[in-house]
Amino acid sequence: MADTLANPKPETDRRTRILDAAEALFSHKGYDAVSLREIARLADVDVALASYHFGRKRELFDAVFLRRAEVLNRMRLDALDRAEAASAPEPAPVEAVIQAYLRPLLTGDHLAEEGWRNYYALVAYVNNSSDLGGELMSQFFDPMVERFMAALKAALPDARPEALYWGYHCLSGALTLAFAQTGRIDRLSRGLCRSEDLEGAYAHIHAFAVGGFERACGSRS
Amino acid sequence: MADTLANPKPETDRRTRILDAAEALFSHKGYDAVSLREIARLADVDVALASYHFGRKRELFDAVFLRRAEVLNRMRLDALDRAEAASAPEPAPVEAVIQAYLRPLLTGDHLAEEGWRNYYALVAYVNNSSDLGGELMSQFFDPMVERFMAALKAALPDARPEALYWGYHCLSGALTLAFAQTGRIDRLSRGLCRSEDLEGAYAHIHAFAVGGFERACGSRS
DNA sequence: GTCTATACGGCGATAGAC
DNA sequence: GTCTATCGCCGTATAGAC
């Protein structure tokens, strides 16, 4: 269609600049503390351009939230596929399922990018928001989560279904609190643990969740 | 001092009405989405009265946060005292420590009160807020938490200290996500679990946390 | 002390002109 | 696609009534 390829660096799309600016601001200050003017200023575009591209403020927020959610879902589902393939025809063990859920997010090169750090803080904010949390998280993540629930059920066949759902709830809460990187664990541990160190947190959260699922969901392994 | 006792119901203090209104609004909409005018309207007082009693908006927020934090801290510390007394001279086992942390909050008559429900949602919001979370939670809860960390350390003497702090992080994340009552688990479980059912959640979160600490913190029990 | 009425400077969201 | 104008609400300060 377009022959705009002539321009080697298509000038970092103004639309993308708006998304980036919105992501950075929303993640640090939450939804309501951020204004469209502020986003426009940071993106170096006119105020009204955000509305032109995305509609209302809330729709811009959703667009920000969606953009990287799709990437995360793919990373996790790929990891789950690999874990299931590795143990086939047996179901993947609970350690491997939880690893597939956590590891693609808590380790890897993308952690160095500020955009991803920002996005994680945004997910933390949304997940624990009593008015946005249920709706947005379900909308963007639950199809992926349902595959993990099935894998957990296969790994823990003796579990009562409620225990599996509450187990996922605990895992989700632990992970997203880490995403918030509030610095609280730094203070509590007097510097021994650092909330910026998501890679270091991975092993701890993984071990905790495995132990939690095994105890709460009645593994007889 | 005062002989205002003559009035049987001292008309529900305007100051308290402001706190109640602020709590209800902050907990449902977060900090920035709420205006002082809205709070005053709900409390049926003049706008300026909030400033008169509490100063800046942020100071009102802190007052709301503090009011019930003190009650929670006392409930938990009393429960921990009882658990330690019950197992003396041995240290309280990890099950009992986690029970003392969770049970006073997740069970009891106060759960029927809307004010407490609102407050829990507020704690969920604050704990996962990347800018308020570290500061506010540490300020109001960490002295209490440090006694629990000591009890956990005594119960799990083989644990590495980092593992204990990350274990607490996981427990805190799981609990505060439950506080948010987002309705997400209802959707994910297709009605099998209900996020309003904090009493029902208690046993699941307790079991998960005990298993998590035992695995991640190397109990050899 | 406790409370009300009002005023001020500022900014965000949106509609409509260009 | 871009910008300008408008409108209403925001947090806060203050002067003074009870």
Side-chain angles (χ1 to χ4, degrees):
Chain A
M1 321 232 147
D3 54 336
T4 52
L5 297 175
N7 190 341
K9 180 196 168 201
E11 78 147 348
T12 322
D13 202 346
R14 284 149 101 98
R15 194 174 184 281
T16 305
R17 290 216 311 272
I18 293 171
L19 279 176
D20 290 339
E23 181 176 75
L25 291 168
F26 283 141
S27 66
H28 283 116
K29 318 212 282 179
Y31 178 73
D32 295 286
V34 175
S35 72
L36 290 177
R37 286 179 134 88
E38 202 178 354
I39 293 168
R41 221 176 292 136
L42 184 60
D44 197 31
V45 301
D46 188 88
V47 202
L49 192 61
S51 306
Y52 171 73
H53 279 301
F54 299 98
R56 337 263 292 189
K57 181 182 178 188
R58 173 56 196 270
E59 294 173 290
L60 170 58
F61 185 83
D62 287 358
V64 167
F65 200 73
L66 173 63
R67 181 171 57 157
R68 297 191 198 254
E70 292 172 328
V71 181
L72 294 187
N73 285 338
R74 171 175 294 259
M75 292 198 299
R76 279 170 157 164
L77 290 174
D78 286 351
L80 183 58
D81 285 340
R82 285 195 300 274
E84 290 181 328
S87 63
E90 295 301 306
V94 63
E95 292 90 342
V97 175
I98 294 171
Q99 177 174 322
Y101 186 79
L102 293 174
R103 193 164 195 182
L105 278 60
L106 293 177
T107 64
D109 291 343
H110 70 290
L111 285 181
E113 289 176 40
E114 201 191 350
W116 276 106
R117 294 267 174 177
N118 288 341
Y119 184 73
Y120 283 173
L122 188 65
V123 173
Y125 167 79
V126 169
N127 198 35
N128 277 47
S129 156
S130 43
D131 62 336
L132 296 175
E135 187 195 337
L136 269 185
M137 295 296 291
S138 292
Q139 183 181 345
F140 292 123
F141 291 121
D142 278 4
M144 172 273 298
V145 172
E146 282 177 11
R147 271 212 53 205
F148 276 86
M149 294 305 305
L152 288 168
K153 184 168 185 166
L156 299 161
D158 300 327
R160 297 181 61 204
E162 310 94 280
L164 283 173
Y165 288 113
W166 280 111
Y168 171 72
H169 166 101
C170 292
L171 173 58
S172 175
L175 176 62
T176 57
L177 179 55
F179 278 173
Q181 299 182 71
T182 63
R184 185 180 176 209
I185 199 174
D186 308 51
R187 219 166 308 194
L188 191 60
S189 71
R190 297 192 161 76
L192 192 64
C193 306
R194 292 175 305 108
S195 50
E196 303 80 26
D197 181 23
L198 293 179
E199 302 216 44
Y202 164 70
H204 295 290
I205 298 175
H206 181 266
F208 194 94
V210 170
F213 270 105
E214 285 184 346
R215 172 143 187 156
C217 300
S219 159
R220 54 185 52 175
S221 69
Chain B
M1 315 232 152
D3 54 336
T4 51
L5 296 175
N7 191 340
K9 181 195 166 200
E11 77 144 349
T12 321
D13 203 344
R14 287 150 99 98
R15 200 187 129 96
T16 305
R17 290 217 309 272
I18 293 171
L19 280 176
D20 290 340
E23 182 176 76
L25 290 168
F26 283 141
S27 66
H28 283 116
K29 318 211 284 181
Y31 178 75
D32 295 286
V34 176
S35 71
L36 291 176
R37 293 176 143 84
E38 200 178 355
I39 293 168
R41 221 176 295 136
L42 184 60
D44 196 30
V45 300
D46 189 87
V47 202
L49 193 61
S51 306
Y52 169 73
H53 279 299
F54 299 99
R56 338 262 292 189
K57 181 183 178 185
R58 173 56 196 269
E59 293 173 290
L60 170 59
F61 185 83
D62 287 358
V64 167
F65 200 73
L66 172 63
R67 180 171 59 156
R68 298 192 199 253
E70 292 171 328
V71 181
L72 294 188
N73 285 337
R74 169 175 297 258
M75 292 197 300
R76 280 170 158 164
L77 290 174
D78 286 352
L80 183 58
D81 285 341
R82 286 195 299 275
E84 290 181 330
S87 63
E90 295 300 305
V94 63
E95 291 90 342
V97 176
I98 294 171
Q99 177 174 322
Y101 186 80
L102 293 174
R103 193 163 195 186
L105 276 61
L106 292 178
T107 65
D109 291 343
H110 70 289
L111 285 181
E113 290 176 40
E114 201 190 348
W116 277 106
R117 295 268 174 176
N118 288 341
Y119 184 72
Y120 283 173
L122 189 64
V123 172
Y125 167 79
V126 169
N127 198 34
N128 277 47
S129 155
S130 42
D131 62 336
L132 296 175
E135 187 194 338
L136 269 185
M137 295 297 290
S138 293
Q139 182 182 346
F140 292 123
F141 292 120
D142 278 4
M144 172 275 295
V145 172
E146 282 177 11
R147 272 210 55 204
F148 276 87
M149 294 307 305
L152 287 168
K153 183 168 184 167
L156 299 161
D158 300 327
R160 297 182 61 203
E162 311 93 281
L164 283 172
Y165 287 113
W166 280 111
Y168 171 72
H169 165 101
C170 292
L171 172 58
S172 175
L175 175 62
T176 57
L177 179 56
F179 279 173
Q181 298 181 73
T182 63
R184 186 181 175 209
I185 198 173
D186 308 51
R187 218 165 309 195
L188 191 60
S189 72
R190 297 191 161 75
L192 193 63
C193 306
R194 291 174 307 109
S195 49
E196 302 80 27
D197 181 23
L198 294 178
E199 302 215 46
Y202 164 71
H204 294 290
I205 299 176
H206 180 267
F208 194 94
V210 170
F213 271 105
E214 285 184 346
R215 171 142 188 158
C217 301
S219 158
R220 54 185 54 175
S221 69

